Amino acid sequence: MVAEPDGSKDAREKAAEEGAEDRKPLSDEARSAFAPPAGVEPAAPPEEEHPTSEFALPPGTRTETEREPEGSAFAPPATYSAKNSPPAFTPAYGVPLVRLSKDAPWQDRMRTMLRLPVNERPVPEAPRKADEAGPSVPRVLDLTLRIGELLLAGGEGAEDVEAAMFAICRSYGLDRCEPTVTFTLLSVTYQPSLVDDPVTANRTVRRRGTDYTRLAAVYQLLADINAPAHDDQAHEVTPEEAYRRLAEIRRNRHPYPGWVLTSAAGVLAGAASVLLGGGATVFFVAALGAVLGDRLAWLCAGRGLPEFYQFLVAAMPPAAMGVLLTLLHADLRPSAVITGGLFALIPGRALVAAVQDGLTGFYITASARLLEVAYFFVAIVVGVLSVLYVAVQFDAQLNPEGVLRTVERPVTQILASMVLCATFAVLLQQSRATVLFATLNGGVAWVVYASIAVTAEGSAVMATAVAAGLVGLFGQLIARYEHTSSLPYVTAAIGPLLPGSATYFGVLAIAQNNLDQGFASLAKASALALAIAIGVNLGGELARLFMQAPGAAAARRAAKRTRGF
């Protein structure tokens, strides 16, 4: 055997002693009582002592670097990001892409966008650069409210006023705005972004007046503000220039002096009496009664009396003239005198605007306008009824059947209807350029009405609706051609269709204590007035629906409702 060195033997003995010490059991002080025994795997720590964050990915979930390949059905697209994520839900019919034609009138484009949700509205065609300073937001909102006030006070419908306000805001770069129109309050809210506070401004309409020349000037200002950028002849109208032109519009005097308006009221009443079968004497008596009523109304207005009393006193002189003819036993038609004086008082345009607001969904404004029409109508009834009641006490032999007797004088009645429309246009302060078309439009309306109601012996309500529909259609067409409001071409043209005879007949029957017959006639007058309003509105909608400007690709979408819900 080979002998081992002493050093090597000592090393082996020392290593064996250290291994024996490691195999000795530890004392209680040397190890924990909760430590697992040898050969047992340690248990996982409890959930409340888990060392990871609660926002950590769960087991089995891959990180962004371990994403599924592009071909996997569960992999997001390569262009996916949290900021520009696709919509969570796509309707079965798809997301509509709205494209507004530049050739369409601004009224149609603004109505289309107002009927769209804010997130579906197209962005401005020429977005402003980030470093380009825009106009002051409060100044634009104030300008919008002032123009909207002129339109609403002039008799425009709520939808047209909203479209005009939205067009102004959008023209100056405020695309996230929402205008709101009620009968006496205008408001507009601008939302700069989702994180900024909205800016809201409002204005109260306290005074109303009829001046269609001023209304046409406002529409011209709106057309210049909304002129497309690609039009070489158009120039940008700054808010300062718009304020200057708006101040000029407010300062402009009426196109006709006071004596012309009073004379026009008299001629209107005389033409209406001839339309109902009166002669030359009836024409002058009716004109005299209307002139007296107009002067009394101006006197009440100067004293600050409400419009209710102005209508009441304006209806009394024509009724008094008719009663005077009856007491003098003149072989004339007192009913034509009284009815002629009522034609200038019946608030036809207010009724048309009320029905238009109701049909377009502005129910609060429509209710307020209808209530205003009801007050004016009651004032006319009270004024005429008070005079007729006094006449009955004096045994005035008023013949209610005389109102129902129709007289066929086609040429005379057509000329009388055109004179009525022309004088009505003067009372509405229309420009001379629009008086001729309104006169012709009213003559056509009377021809259609007389052909159905008199010659064909058809329903008066149906004849009124058809004639009013043609008035609204022609008026809307010429308004779209001239890029202005349709009111100057429509309001005066419905003058021959106003229910003056039915109103007088109902009041007379009530004065003679025939309540059932009187209320039935007043209900007929209301039906005729509603036929006028619905016909005018339907004619205007037909013009927008079938005769849009070339290239107009945007349809006016409305809310679809089913029966009951």
Side-chain angles (χ1 to χ4, degrees):
M1 295 180 62
V2 180
E4 296 179 357
D6 294 338
S8 145
K9 181 178 180 182
D10 294 340
R12 288 199 301 272
E13 292 178 353
K14 186 176 181 180
E17 291 177 356
E18 290 178 356
E21 290 180 358
D22 292 339
R23 290 191 296 271
K24 291 180 181 180
L26 299 175
S27 63
D28 293 339
E29 291 79 4
R31 63 182 179 87
S32 173
F34 300 98
V40 178
E41 295 182 0
E47 186 176 357
E48 59 271 11
E49 297 180 4
H50 203 281
T52 60
S53 171
E54 60 180 354
F55 299 102
L57 293 175
T61 304
R62 300 188 180 185
T63 60
E64 188 73 18
T65 58
E66 300 174 352
R67 183 178 296 170
E68 293 281 349
E70 188 69 25
S72 174
F74 300 97
T79 58
Y80 178 85
S81 65
K83 294 183 179 180
N84 301 317
S85 59
F89 170 73
T90 302
Y93 50 83
V95 178
L97 179 61
V98 180
R99 293 179 180 177
L100 301 177
S101 173
K102 298 180 180 180
D103 298 327
W106 65 266
Q107 295 95 328
D108 290 345
R109 291 187 281 118
M110 296 304 112
R111 287 192 190 94
T112 301
M113 284 190 288
L114 280 174
R115 296 192 177 208
L116 291 175
V118 178
N119 58 345
E120 294 184 12
R121 292 176 183 172
V123 297
E125 299 173 0
R128 191 178 301 277
K129 298 179 181 179
D131 56 348
E132 184 179 355
S136 173
V137 172
R139 193 166 180 81
V140 173
L141 297 184
D142 180 71
L143 176 65
T144 302
L145 291 174
R146 290 179 182 274
I147 294 180
E149 179 189 9
L150 284 180
L151 294 177
L152 188 62
E156 276 289 359
E159 186 182 30
D160 295 329
V161 177
E162 274 199 1
M165 295 172 63
F166 185 76
I168 297 171
C169 292
R170 192 173 176 84
S171 298
Y172 291 115
L174 308 184
D175 56 313
R176 297 188 187 92
C177 66
E178 287 294 337
T180 304
V181 176
T182 59
F183 185 61
T184 57
L185 182 65
L186 299 172
S187 65
V188 58
T189 301
Y190 172 63
Q191 182 77 37
S193 66
L194 295 178
V195 297
D196 295 329
D197 295 332
V199 181
T200 302
N202 55 60
R203 192 173 183 87
T204 303
V205 180
R206 302 187 182 275
R207 187 175 181 180
R208 302 176 186 275
T210 304
D211 189 345
Y212 285 174
T213 302
R214 178 181 297 175
L215 189 66
V218 173
Y219 263 86
Q220 182 61 45
L221 174 60
L222 286 171
D224 294 341
I225 292 176
N226 291 277
H230 60 81
D231 192 353
D232 297 336
Q233 299 179 354
H235 67 283
E236 183 180 0
V237 179
T238 62
E240 289 71 20
E241 183 179 355
Y243 266 107
R244 179 186 60 79
R245 293 178 57 177
L246 191 61
E248 292 179 356
I249 293 173
R250 287 182 174 274
R251 285 195 301 265
N252 281 345
R253 302 185 63 180
H254 299 306
Y256 307 103
W259 65 270
V260 173
L261 299 178
T262 302
S263 302
V267 176
L268 188 153
S273 65
V274 173
L275 195 65
L276 300 173
T281 306
V282 172
F283 176 91
F284 287 108
V285 175
L288 179 60
V291 167
L292 293 177
D294 183 76
R295 287 292 90 191
L296 285 177
W298 276 103
L299 180 62
C300 293
R303 298 294 181 179
L305 290 177
E307 287 184 298
F308 179 87
Y309 302 104
Q310 299 176 27
F311 275 81
L312 191 149
V313 299
M316 296 177 70
M321 287 294 176
V323 171
L324 182 61
L325 289 181
T326 303
L327 294 176
L328 294 177
H329 300 285
D331 189 14
L332 298 172
R333 301 192 66 182
S335 60
V337 174
I338 300 175
T339 304
L342 300 180
F343 267 79
L345 300 177
I346 298 176
R349 175 55 205 168
L351 181 63
V352 172
V355 175
Q356 179 181 358
D357 290 342
L359 294 177
T360 52
F362 295 85
Y363 300 113
I364 297 178
T365 308
S367 301
R369 289 186 189 271
L370 285 176
L371 186 60
E372 181 188 38
V373 171
Y375 270 104
F376 292 161
F377 194 76
V378 169
I380 296 171
V381 170
V382 171
V384 176
L385 186 60
S386 59
V387 175
L388 295 183
Y389 181 76
V390 174
V392 170
Q393 301 304 316
F394 283 94
D395 296 329
Q397 300 299 322
L398 294 171
N399 182 17
E401 300 297 331
V403 183
L404 300 178
R405 190 174 65 231
T406 58
V407 179
E408 293 191 27
R409 296 181 299 177
V411 178
T412 303
Q413 289 177 329
I414 292 174
L415 293 177
S417 65
M418 296 177 68
V419 172
L420 189 153
C421 294
T423 52
F424 208 162
V426 172
L427 285 177
L428 295 174
Q429 302 283 358
Q430 293 185 199
S431 62
R432 294 172 177 82
T434 62
V435 172
L436 178 60
F437 184 85
T439 302
L440 297 177
N441 202 8
V444 173
W446 175 257
V447 170
V448 173
Y449 169 81
S451 301
I452 298 176
V454 179
T455 304
E457 298 181 356
S459 172
V461 176
M462 182 186 68
T464 301
V466 173
L470 291 178
V471 168
L473 178 62
F474 295 152
Q476 187 64 234
L477 289 178
I478 190 63
R480 292 168 68 85
Y481 179 77
E482 296 290 342
H483 299 286
T484 184
S485 173
S486 62
L487 293 183
Y489 307 103
V490 171
T491 306
I494 64 175
L497 306 177
L498 294 175
S501 299
T503 303
Y504 165 69
F505 180 72
V507 173
L508 179 58
I510 293 175
Q512 294 178 342
N513 205 22
N514 297 326
L515 299 182
D516 295 339
Q517 190 176 5
F519 285 118
S521 182
L522 291 180
K524 180 183 178 182
S526 301
L528 292 173
L530 289 177
I532 294 174
I534 295 176
V536 169
N537 181 263
L538 181 59
E541 292 297 327
L542 288 176
R544 296 192 188 104
L545 183 62
F546 296 109
M547 301 182 182
Q548 292 185 349
R556 298 179 64 217
R557 299 197 309 172
K560 182 181 180 299
R561 293 184 176 91
T562 54
R563 292 179 300 229
F565 57 90

